[in-house]
Each structure stands twice: as C-alpha cells, then as structure tokens.
Amino acid sequence: MLKYNQSHKNYIILIIKTNAVYLLKRLSKYIKNLNIKKKTTIKDIANVLNISPAAVSKALHDDSRISEKTKKAVKQVAKNLNYQPNHLASALRKGKSHLVGVIVPRTNSNFFSSVIQNIEEELDKEGYNIIITQSNESYKKECRNIDTLLFTQVDGIIASMANETINLDYYEKIKSKGIPLILFDRGENDLNVDYIGINDYDSSHMIVEHLVQQGCKRIAHIGGYKRTRIFNNRIRGYIDALKKHNLSLEDELLIESNLTIEDGREKMSQLLALKNKPDAVYVAGDYAALGALQILNEQGIKIPEDIALVGFGNEPFTAMVTPSITSINQHSAEIGKQAAKTFLEHAKKSVVKQQLNKIILDAELIVRDSSNIKNS
Amino acid sequence: MLKYNQSHKNYIILIIKTNAVYLLKRLSKYIKNLNIKKKTTIKDIANVLNISPAAVSKALHDDSRISEKTKKAVKQVAKNLNYQPNHLASALRKGKSHLVGVIVPRTNSNFFSSVIQNIEEELDKEGYNIIITQSNESYKKECRNIDTLLFTQVDGIIASMANETINLDYYEKIKSKGIPLILFDRGENDLNVDYIGINDYDSSHMIVEHLVQQGCKRIAHIGGYKRTRIFNNRIRGYIDALKKHNLSLEDELLIESNLTIEDGREKMSQLLALKNKPDAVYVAGDYAALGALQILNEQGIKIPEDIALVGFGNEPFTAMVTPSITSINQHSAEIGKQAAKTFLEHAKKSVVKQQLNKIILDAELIVRDSSNIKNS
DNA sequence: CATATATGCTTAAACGTTTAAGCAAAATAA
DNA sequence: TTATTTTGCTTAAACGTTTAAGCATATATG
C-alpha cells in the first residue's frame, strides 16, 4: 500500500509498506529513467514482465526454450517501450560487429557505385551493414582507411585497390588479423586472397577482334599501369590478339597511362604526333578514352572513320558524349553480389576450413558510334 | 624457480615453487592466449606491467594522474603486443559510437561524392567515422537506411533527402531519439533541423540574368518537383527574375519534371512541339539538361544560337559533352565541410544548449558553350 | 609540526547484451 | 511406479573499456 501525504507544499512524503521495498526498487529505476530519458534496454522489458533479462534476450531471438506466451509478451512490451537493441553491446559480447568495410578508389564512378550498392543489398539480407571509404587512388589514404576499418572492428573488408598501391603490407595486416579480405576489380595475385573480377584478357581480345572486323589495321593501346594486374592482363590480351590477327605489335602504339582524362588527352596527342598514325585506339579506361575523344574532336579528326575509339568500363557518359564511345561493360552488379557472397561464406564457415575463391566473370562489349565504321 | 624435467618424450613436467602460483596464473593466461590467438587487450598490457587495467586505460589516454614513466612503459608494451583498442567496448561504455551516418540519394554523382569526401575528412580529424548509405531516390530505402543507422548506434546523421520523400516521420524519429540530424541540399523547412545548402533562389536569378544578357527573350524552365524546397526555390527565382527583366511568365514554358535524363528528353520534346518555341531552356538538373541536349542535337537545333541551354549542378559531364553545358557549381566541398562542422558542434555542446544552423552558400555560374551566344 | 593538497595508483562497477550452466517442474518413457 | 527427457526459465559471468571513488604516499602550506 502506498500513502500520499501533502504535508509541505514543496515536498511529497510517501509512506510505503515494508514489503513494497522491492516495488520501490523498481519504481526508483523507473524514476531514474524518466529523468535521464534513457533508451529502453532488455532489463526494462525484463522488469516490466518480472522475468530475467536472459529470458528476454532469448525471447527476442526466438529461442526454442522460451514459451510462445512469453515470446509474445516480450515482443509486445518491446514494441510498447520502443525498444531498440543496442548493437554495440551485442557486438561486443558476440565478438562480431556485423559491419563490413568497403574500400574503393572513388564512389563517383558508376562502376564502383553500382558494385557498392549490390554489396550492400546482398549483405543487408544477412544483417550486415557496410562502411564505405574512398582512397581517392591514394596509397596513404588507403592505409588510413584500413586502419579506420580495423579500428571500427569490421568483420571483413571488401576492397578495390588504389592505382598507387604497390606495397601490400597493410593488406597483409588485414589477413594477419584473420579478418576476411575480398578484392574485386583491382586485385593482386601475390596477396593470395579471394578475388572477383572480369576476364580482362578476353575483353582485350573482344575489342581487338571487333576493331579488326571494322577494318582497322593499326590498333594502338593506351593501357593502365603494367604492374596492376588487370591492366597487365588487358595489355597481354591486346598483344596476343594482335598476333592472332597477324598484326604486328609496334612499341610506339602501346602506351602506359594513369588513365585520367588529362592523361588520356596527352597520350592521344602523343599518338597523333606519330608519323604513322593509328587507325584505332583502345583505351583501358573510359575517362582516358574521353580525354582522347576530346583531342580527336578538337583536331577535327573523324571518329570512327579516321580513327576508331574504344574505352573500358561502360561509364554512363560513354553513351552521352558525341560520338558515343564503344566500351566494355563489367557487370558491376554481379561483381558486387559475388563479393558479398564470398564474404558471407567466410563469415559462416569456421576459421579453419577456408578456401580461396577466384571468380572471373565474362564482360560484354557495347558497340557505339566511336567504333562503328560500317554503319556510320 | 622453475624446473624443467624431460621425463617423457611426449610430456613436459614443470616443477614450480609454491610461491610462484601467482606467476602460474599469469602464465596460464598467456598460454591460453597463445592457443586461441586472441587480440591483446588492456588487461594483457596490465598483466605484463603488473598494474591495473584502469591505469593502462588512463595511460593510453594521457591522464594527468598517471606518471610519465608509466605512460611510456604502457605505450611501449602496447606497441610490442600490437594492441588495438576495441572500439566496440569503449563505445558501449562511453555511450558514443563515434560513427556518423550519411544518407544520400546516390553516390555516383560528383556532387554527392564530393560532399561525402569532405564530410569524411572533416570528421576524421575528430575521430569520427562515417557510414554511407544510398537511398536511390526511394523513400522506402531511405527509411530502411535510417533504421540501419539507428541500429548501428550512430552519433548523428547527415542526410540529403530522396526525391520521393514527403512523409517526414522517419526523420522525426531521429530527432525524437535526440540524435543530431543535419540536412544538406535536399532539406525540408518543416523539419526544423540544421541545413546546409546553396541559395537556389539567387542561382535562378543568375541564370536568367545571364540568358537575358545573351539576348534570350523566351526562357523556359524545366524544374524539379515543386514540393521539394530547393526546386521550389529555383522556380520562384526563375519567376521573379523574369519579372525583374520585364519578361512575361508563360505557363507553357514552366514544366515540372523528375529531372532524369529520360524525362529531360521528354520535356524538351514537349517544348519543341510548342507553336512558339523558347529561345532558352533552364533545366534544374544536369542529367535532365543532358537529355534536353540530346533531343536538341538529334533534331538538328543549334545550341546556343537557336536555343540556349543551362543546367544545374556542374556535374563533370557538363564539360564533356558537345556542346558543353553551362551550369551552376554548388560548392560541394564547402557543403560537406559545413555539414560535418555543424554535426561536430552538436556533438560537443551539451544537449540542452542547442541552436539551429541554416547555412546558405552562394553558388557560382559556370558559363560554357551551350549558352555562350556572343562568342560562338 | 600538523594539515592540506597533489600524485599515482587500485578497486569495483558500469555500459547492454549473450550464453553456458543449472535448476525446478512438467511431460514422457520405461 | 520411477527414471529420463523436455520445457521454461534463472543465475552469473563474460565481452573490453571507462570512470567514480578511494587510498596510500609524497609534497606543499600554514
């Protein structure tokens, strides 16, 4: 029983029967909550229903050892009190953060943005969230990103390496911590981790084949850095495809580039300065291809009649510019999905039984105006 | 003392003096660590130095009540054992995750990607990490993103709303939880939260003024949804600027659009079907402007001589297409920085003393070929 | 000299959740 | 009937960190 006695206008005196002490304990906690306006916890639910916090936790997770009746009650109270589980606490206890780090060179490319979106969708199904970081093609930034992600206790990292990255120490660091590492697009064979990418070698073959069919005989290649696996594969594919079609490989037609717009302009100018100009240019990246296109347009060179142009990556702008640029579609959605799935496999399997996945997807050539000689 | 006795080839017998029991305890923990290969914790460091975990924690945080000698020792041991603080534990204890959620309609736009990058850089300085989520312009996805971020226990949310978003319940949910919410670009006055954006009204004035200067008399506007604040402001600016220059506002020249490429094409076609065609079109988004440009090019209409074209947002492709598109630069870097700073202010200040920031930045008109009549 | 203050630590509890272990009571099997 | 299993919970510890409170010891102050 609880007596109320307004003995003084500024005080309230409560007279509580001794056996109500336990109630008072609950009440005092409730009052505390009122003041600080704390978030409701499992304990609060437990107090309301007069069961243990453990039972509440199990009920919320549909443990088989909890009665349906209790489960229903718990869920109802949880809803009423607007209970939101504290992710940090459960992550700490379970030793899993349910966060996955993603590192990309940049997000403002359609390829990466689409990969990210698909990673996210796939992981979301299993209750994982992703933390996206951008390296801006900088090795230093990439290292900081890795540290940040490790600090945030991510359960895994999905990454595409910066152009600059040669030193793999930081990636070894991830591996040494036993955190699943999955690379996509820009990977490294030496690291010996899971990898998802397209068949760059075959893609180069497709491009050269297409250009040969269009009647081109002097096909130049503005490639990426040879030391980066994907660009090396594109170069090898280019060289082998030339051989296959009995075209000679000429040193002056094979140029290494960082594949920015600016460098695309420069390398294209370089090609135009040759005595014996090419009749086709295959650029290993769309942005550089755009730079090349600008130079060609500026110099009044007809595309594709004088020089045909092919890019790589199928960035949306390839379809927007004039003339539209033929390019390779990398199936970004599939790459993202596979990367996520590969991570999930690691997360589910025991630490011991691990095997490497190297997933190589076929790419697709999107023929546009810049190389469509016969119909132009 | 510790005696070693190889009595059996498969066993090792250790004879330990009784007073070494306490050492054994430490040793057994060490052995355990060896087997399970656990991460080193503050406790490990404490054990090595024979001090309390509390002292270690304080030493690592440069607490004034810890001697320099101890600090040095702790830091050295921490380095030796490759100690990485467990962020989850400290976040749980401190009630702060040091994570900030970011919601954008999409990341593959230069504007958003640049904003994000600057938010990240600014927050990184103060030890915050960001979790990026994309709404893909979908209200449903946006709601899920908010739930995800709240679940991850973010300390704040910086968001730009999806086009679809009209119902503000989910944003109210953030507010009601006392989590700082900062909107940028796409905001809502009704929400009454911090906002960082550009002066859309003035920007429209600048555009109209520029077109008038180029000699245009019938200026059309393909605008965004009227209900969205920024697009409404652009429309108001357009209308008022027309008045200011004594041009009549004609209903058929003011069109509402979702501002995608496709809709840009459609709305431009609609304008071209008019008996009395416009001599300039101001499109409230670059993508729709691109669609408009495609239609104009396809129909052989000269830009800017027949019809001048202006976009909004200064997406990189506006400089890439032919002719290049005049557009408004939104100072994405500054918006990102200010958004981050605004959050940090909230994070530092006490919950009680809060005041709203509405930061409106001036934008910049980048004149390109599509509206440069006099020099073309 | 006694008292006050500063220094350098320790102890113990807390953050909110999960989970191994355990214990009655109920249901089932022998 | 008794033994066994199942059901439905509780207790208590743990995850790794931080921090309020406390306690000596050393130093400063009057």
Side-chain angles (χ1 to χ4, degrees):
Chain A
M1 227 202 79
L2 215 132
K3 267 192 192 166
Y4 176 94
N5 183 354
Q6 183 133 24
S7 57
H8 183 283
K9 66 172 180 174
N10 286 328
Y11 296 90
I12 291 172
I13 293 172
L14 291 174
I15 300 162
I16 300 170
K17 265 180 96 173
T18 47
N19 66 353
V21 166
Y22 133 93
L23 198 117
L24 180 63
K25 215 167 138 193
R26 276 168 64 187
L27 192 66
S28 79
K29 276 197 184 171
Y30 185 67
I31 289 171
K32 206 169 138 198
N33 282 1
L34 268 186
N35 288 344
I36 319 274
K37 210 195 167 188
K38 273 184 179 172
K39 287 170 193 160
T40 54
T41 71
I42 270 188
K43 258 187 174 172
D44 299 326
I45 302 175
N47 284 340
V48 169
L49 292 170
N50 230 341
I51 56 176
S52 72
V56 175
S57 172
K58 285 175 185 162
L60 290 172
H61 289 91
D62 276 323
D63 189 295
S64 62
R65 299 285 288 273
I66 301 291
S67 70
E68 285 305 321
K69 204 178 102 190
T70 307
K71 281 184 193 170
K72 245 187 195 162
V74 165
K75 286 173 185 171
Q76 186 57 53
V77 173
K79 197 179 252 175
N80 290 350
L81 297 185
N82 196 20
Y83 168 73
Q84 297 269 137
N86 185 324
H87 171 251
L88 294 172
S90 89
L92 173 61
R93 174 58 228 246
K94 297 208 276 191
K96 291 197 159 263
S97 68
H98 275 256
L99 290 173
V100 175
V102 176
I103 306 173
V104 290
R106 55 182 188 282
T107 61
N108 66 334
S109 114
N110 204 60
F111 174 69
F112 288 119
S113 141
S114 165
V115 170
I116 289 170
Q117 192 185 321
N118 282 279
I119 290 176
E120 201 218 300
E121 278 171 16
E122 208 64 32
L123 292 183
D124 183 68
K125 293 179 197 164
E126 303 286 330
Y128 283 90
N129 293 318
I130 65 175
I131 299 186
I132 305 167
T133 63
Q134 311 183 52
S135 69
N136 298 319
E137 301 284 10
S138 148
Y139 172 64
K140 267 184 97 172
K141 184 75 195 305
E142 197 170 73
C143 294
R144 285 207 298 124
N145 286 344
I146 291 175
D147 275 338
T148 293
L149 292 177
L150 292 178
F151 173 71
T152 319
Q153 240 77 20
V154 292
D155 290 343
I157 293 182
I158 301 176
S160 192
M161 288 162 61
N163 256 333
E164 275 186 27
T165 304
I166 313 169
N167 188 321
L168 302 177
D169 289 356
Y170 264 77
Y171 283 97
E172 292 289 355
K173 194 170 161 185
I174 301 173
K175 276 178 68 182
S176 76
K177 287 203 184 290
I179 293 172
L181 171 63
I182 291 106
L183 296 178
F184 69 91
D185 193 46
R186 311 256 199 90
E188 265 298 339
N189 256 327
D190 303 350
L191 261 174
N192 215 27
V193 295
D194 297 87
Y195 174 81
I196 294 98
I198 59 153
N199 196 326
D200 290 283
Y201 181 84
D202 283 3
S203 299
S204 279
H205 270 273
M206 280 166 59
I207 291 171
V208 170
E209 188 128 341
H210 163 68
L211 290 171
V212 167
Q213 274 175 10
Q214 300 292 316
C216 301
K217 303 241 182 289
R218 276 182 67 77
I219 303 172
H221 180 44
I222 299 178
Y225 293 128
K226 268 202 282 284
R227 58 157 195 270
T228 309
R229 175 162 47 145
I230 58 170
F231 297 124
N232 191 25
N233 285 345
R234 290 178 200 176
I235 293 169
R236 286 196 307 106
Y238 161 76
I239 294 174
D240 289 357
L242 287 185
K243 252 184 228 154
K244 188 176 152 199
H245 293 94
N246 297 316
L247 296 173
S248 63
L249 167 65
E250 299 191 27
D251 283 350
E252 58 182 21
L253 296 185
L254 177 51
I255 306 181
E256 201 171 348
S257 158
N258 67 12
L259 298 180
T260 59
I261 294 188
E262 295 71 31
D263 209 47
R265 293 177 62 97
E266 194 168 307
K267 296 306 189 299
M268 189 70 230
S269 305
Q270 200 175 311
L271 285 172
L272 289 180
L274 292 177
K275 235 186 349 203
N276 202 353
K277 294 189 183 71
D279 57 6
V281 180
Y282 154 33
V283 190
D286 278 336
Y287 282 90
L290 178 69
L293 178 125
Q294 289 173 351
I295 290 290
L296 291 170
N297 276 341
E298 285 167 19
Q299 308 224 355
I301 292 168
K302 279 186 203 139
I303 313 172
E305 292 83 352
D306 298 341
I307 295 184
L309 185 68
V310 177
F312 206 109
N314 202 30
E315 286 292 329
F317 67 75
T318 54
M320 298 172 180
V321 294
T322 318
S324 56
I325 304 175
T326 296
S327 196
I328 288 279
N329 181 17
Q330 302 184 75
H331 298 300
S332 48
E334 192 56 26
I335 291 179
K337 282 203 174 70
Q338 291 296 338
K341 279 181 182 161
T342 306
F343 162 76
L344 289 173
E345 272 177 35
H346 280 278
K348 281 173 187 165
K349 265 185 203 161
S350 69
V351 190
V352 199
K353 198 189 143 205
Q354 292 292 13
Q355 63 172 56
L356 281 188
N357 278 318
K358 300 266 177 194
I359 304 174
I360 306 298
L361 304 166
D362 279 333
E364 180 187 11
L365 181 70
I366 313 283
V367 178
R368 297 203 179 85
D369 295 344
S370 72
S371 73
N372 204 342
I373 301 179
K374 292 177 175 169
N375 292 335
S376 72
Chain B
M1 223 202 79
L2 212 132
K3 268 193 195 167
Y4 175 94
N5 184 353
Q6 181 133 25
S7 58
H8 185 284
K9 66 172 183 174
N10 285 328
Y11 295 90
I12 292 172
I13 294 171
L14 292 175
I15 300 162
I16 300 169
K17 268 178 92 173
T18 48
N19 67 352
V21 167
Y22 132 93
L23 198 118
L24 181 64
K25 213 168 137 192
R26 275 167 64 188
L27 191 68
S28 78
K29 274 197 184 169
Y30 185 67
I31 290 171
K32 207 169 140 197
N33 280 1
L34 270 186
N35 288 345
I36 319 274
K37 209 191 168 190
K38 273 184 180 172
K39 287 169 194 161
T40 54
T41 72
I42 270 187
K43 257 189 176 171
D44 299 326
I45 302 176
N47 284 341
V48 169
L49 292 170
N50 232 341
I51 56 175
S52 72
V56 175
S57 172
K58 285 175 184 163
L60 290 171
H61 288 91
D62 277 322
D63 189 295
S64 63
R65 299 285 288 275
I66 299 291
S67 70
E68 285 304 320
K69 205 178 97 188
T70 307
K71 279 184 194 169
K72 245 187 195 162
V74 165
K75 284 172 186 170
Q76 186 57 52
V77 173
K79 198 180 251 175
N80 290 351
L81 297 185
N82 195 22
Y83 168 73
Q84 297 269 138
N86 186 325
H87 171 252
L88 294 172
S90 88
L92 173 61
R93 175 58 228 244
K94 297 208 278 193
K96 289 197 160 264
S97 68
H98 275 255
L99 290 174
V100 175
V102 177
I103 306 174
V104 290
R106 56 182 186 281
T107 62
N108 65 334
S109 115
N110 204 59
F111 173 70
F112 288 119
S113 140
S114 165
V115 170
I116 289 171
Q117 192 184 321
N118 282 279
I119 290 177
E120 201 218 300
E121 277 171 16
E122 209 63 32
L123 292 183
D124 182 69
K125 293 178 196 166
E126 303 286 329
Y128 283 90
N129 293 319
I130 65 175
I131 299 186
I132 306 166
T133 62
Q134 312 184 52
S135 69
N136 298 318
E137 302 283 12
S138 147
Y139 173 64
K140 266 185 100 173
K141 185 75 196 304
E142 197 170 74
C143 293
R144 286 207 298 126
N145 286 343
I146 291 175
D147 275 339
T148 293
L149 292 177
L150 292 179
F151 172 72
T152 319
Q153 238 79 20
V154 292
D155 291 343
I157 292 182
I158 302 176
S160 191
M161 288 162 60
N163 256 333
E164 274 185 28
T165 304
I166 313 168
N167 188 322
L168 301 177
D169 289 356
Y170 265 77
Y171 284 96
E172 292 289 354
K173 193 169 160 185
I174 301 174
K175 278 178 68 182
S176 76
K177 286 201 185 290
I179 293 171
L181 171 62
I182 292 107
L183 296 179
F184 69 92
D185 192 50
R186 312 257 198 87
E188 265 298 338
N189 257 328
D190 302 349
L191 260 173
N192 215 26
V193 295
D194 297 270
Y195 174 81
I196 293 99
I198 59 155
N199 195 325
D200 290 283
Y201 181 83
D202 283 3
S203 299
S204 279
H205 270 271
M206 281 166 58
I207 290 171
V208 170
E209 187 127 342
H210 162 68
L211 289 171
V212 167
Q213 273 175 10
Q214 300 292 316
C216 301
K217 303 243 183 284
R218 278 183 65 77
I219 303 172
H221 181 43
I222 300 178
Y225 293 127
K226 268 202 281 285
R227 59 158 194 267
T228 309
R229 177 167 43 149
I230 58 169
F231 297 123
N232 192 25
N233 285 345
R234 291 179 200 175
I235 292 168
R236 285 197 307 107
Y238 160 77
I239 293 173
D240 289 357
L242 286 185
K243 254 185 226 155
K244 189 176 152 198
H245 292 95
N246 295 317
L247 297 172
S248 64
L249 167 65
E250 301 192 25
D251 284 351
E252 58 182 18
L253 296 184
L254 178 50
I255 305 180
E256 200 171 350
S257 158
N258 67 11
L259 297 179
T260 58
I261 295 188
E262 295 71 33
D263 208 46
R265 292 178 62 96
E266 193 168 307
K267 296 305 187 304
M268 188 70 232
S269 305
Q270 200 175 313
L271 284 172
L272 289 180
L274 292 177
K275 233 185 351 202
N276 201 353
K277 293 189 184 71
D279 57 6
V281 180
Y282 154 32
V283 190
D286 277 337
Y287 283 92
L290 178 69
L293 178 125
Q294 288 173 351
I295 289 290
L296 291 171
N297 276 340
E298 284 166 19
Q299 308 222 356
I301 291 168
K302 277 188 204 139
I303 314 172
E305 292 84 350
D306 299 342
I307 296 184
L309 185 69
V310 177
F312 206 109
N314 201 29
E315 287 291 329
F317 67 77
T318 53
M320 297 171 182
V321 294
T322 316
S324 56
I325 305 174
T326 295
S327 195
I328 288 279
N329 181 17
Q330 301 185 76
H331 299 299
S332 48
E334 193 56 25
I335 292 180
K337 281 204 176 68
Q338 292 295 340
K341 278 179 183 163
T342 305
F343 163 75
L344 288 173
E345 272 176 38
H346 280 277
K348 280 171 187 166
K349 265 183 206 161
S350 70
V351 190
V352 197
K353 199 190 143 203
Q354 293 292 13
Q355 64 173 59
L356 280 188
N357 277 319
K358 301 264 178 197
I359 303 175
I360 306 298
L361 303 167
D362 278 334
E364 181 187 10
L365 182 69
I366 313 283
V367 178
R368 298 204 179 85
D369 296 345
S370 72
S371 72
N372 202 342
I373 301 179
K374 291 175 176 171
N375 293 332
S376 71

